[in-house]
Amino acid sequence: MGSIDTTGYNFTAGPETVSFDSFLFDMDGTIIDSTAAVEKHWEGIGNDIGVSPEIILQTSHGRRTIDMLRILAPEKATWEYVQSREGLLPKLYGSDAVEIPGARPLLDSLIALSAPWTIVTSGSLPLVSGWLKVLDLPTPEHLVTAESVQNGKPDPACYLLGREKLGESAGQGKEVLVFEDAPAGIKAGKAAGCKVVGLVTSHSVEEVLAAGPDWVVKDLTQVKVVRREGDGKVVLEVGGLLVRN
């Protein structure tokens, strides 16, 4: 995703100790960085529909391919087309994706404690399962993918469904933490009644802050699992928090 300009800010605040019942992770920009592959994906679609990939990429991150197609080329907005296109990415461009720093250790730590977690993504099932396989990353029991909901991020439906799948429906007094990099996803997480850690991996600091996350970090190396309490809550230490110079 390249280097994000953080002029005027630094990641030196904290650490803060927080505790949550369960955890919801966005995929691209949060667990992996597949920017190069996604650019090739939209280049191919752009050629199909006669729209410049550069124009598409200005607004596509964090949003479902089908939602973009409903705007740009409604005749292509079918799950068959989306799944066929997205399913090719891990197969053709597997070497273009890398892990977001700290993602694997954080997931491994949660799994070691049997903490409830899942992935809530704007990607289709073939895309997400393909990337997890290529990068040999853990696959949660309850994936929420683009096909799972009627409306994509920033609509909160995906994160509400993620909470439900983990048995943590909103209004039950459960504390759920979302990890997100895209403003649309941050807004979706907040609207679903979750606390949100915003990552500065794909958007400017200003764009991330404007979406209203509860904490902002550079990447997931700043998030450490401390322990799991007797009541099931997982205690985290979140350091390297964003502050203005």
Side-chain angles (χ1 to χ4, degrees):
M1 295 186 175
S3 177
I4 305 296
D5 183 11
T6 58
T7 302
Y9 300 89
N10 61 67
F11 296 90
T12 57
E16 291 187 21
T17 301
V18 296
S19 62
F20 290 90
D21 295 285
S22 58
F23 304 88
L24 302 173
F25 290 80
D26 173 50
M27 182 74 170
D28 204 6
T30 301
I31 294 177
I32 70 166
D33 175 1
S34 65
T35 302
V38 169
E39 289 175 352
K40 293 171 184 174
H41 165 69
W42 282 114
E43 183 176 351
I45 291 180
N47 290 336
D48 267 5
I49 65 176
V51 177
S52 166
E54 288 75 19
I55 292 175
I56 299 173
L57 287 165
Q58 288 174 7
T59 57
S60 62
H61 186 79
R63 299 177 67 187
R64 301 185 303 176
T65 295
I66 200 162
D67 291 331
M68 295 298 295
L69 289 172
R70 284 170 179 162
I71 298 168
L72 299 169
E75 72 281 1
K76 294 287 189 183
T78 68
W79 285 118
E80 182 180 11
Y81 180 76
V82 170
Q83 290 177 335
S84 65
R85 275 289 184 179
E86 291 193 350
L88 289 173
L89 265 71
K91 297 174 183 175
L92 298 179
Y93 312 120
S95 61
D96 288 339
V98 296
E99 298 172 23
I100 293 295
R104 186 184 295 271
L106 178 56
L107 292 177
D108 287 345
S109 296
L110 292 174
I111 291 167
L113 294 177
S114 299
W117 73 282
T118 197
I119 292 170
V120 178
T121 176
S122 296
S124 66
L125 182 58
L127 177 66
V128 178
S129 57
W131 282 133
L132 292 174
K133 182 177 180 180
V134 166
L135 292 170
D136 193 28
L137 285 162
T139 300
E141 184 179 354
H142 305 291
L143 278 172
V144 177
T145 63
E147 301 95 328
S148 303
V149 292
Q150 184 67 32
N151 298 309
K153 303 171 185 178
D155 191 285
C158 56
Y159 279 117
L160 288 170
L161 180 58
R163 293 186 66 139
E164 183 181 319
K165 283 179 175 284
L166 296 180
E168 315 284 13
S169 297
Q172 291 186 341
K174 298 291 188 178
E175 295 289 337
V176 180
L177 182 61
V178 165
F179 294 95
E180 261 281 2
D181 68 300
I186 293 169
K187 292 175 182 177
K190 292 295 294 181
C194 305
K195 297 290 188 181
V196 179
V197 173
L199 281 69
V200 184
T201 56
S202 63
H203 290 73
S204 70
V205 172
E206 288 76 14
E207 288 172 315
V208 171
L209 286 173
D214 297 278
W215 302 275
V216 178
V217 297
K218 185 176 182 180
D219 55 42
L220 292 178
T221 60
Q222 315 299 326
V223 183
K224 308 293 184 186
V225 174
V226 179
R227 63 184 178 275
R228 191 172 189 187
E229 303 281 23
D231 61 1
K233 287 188 180 293
V234 177
V235 179
L236 302 179
E237 191 175 82
V238 185
L241 294 165
L242 180 77
V243 292
R244 192 183 295 273
N245 288 341

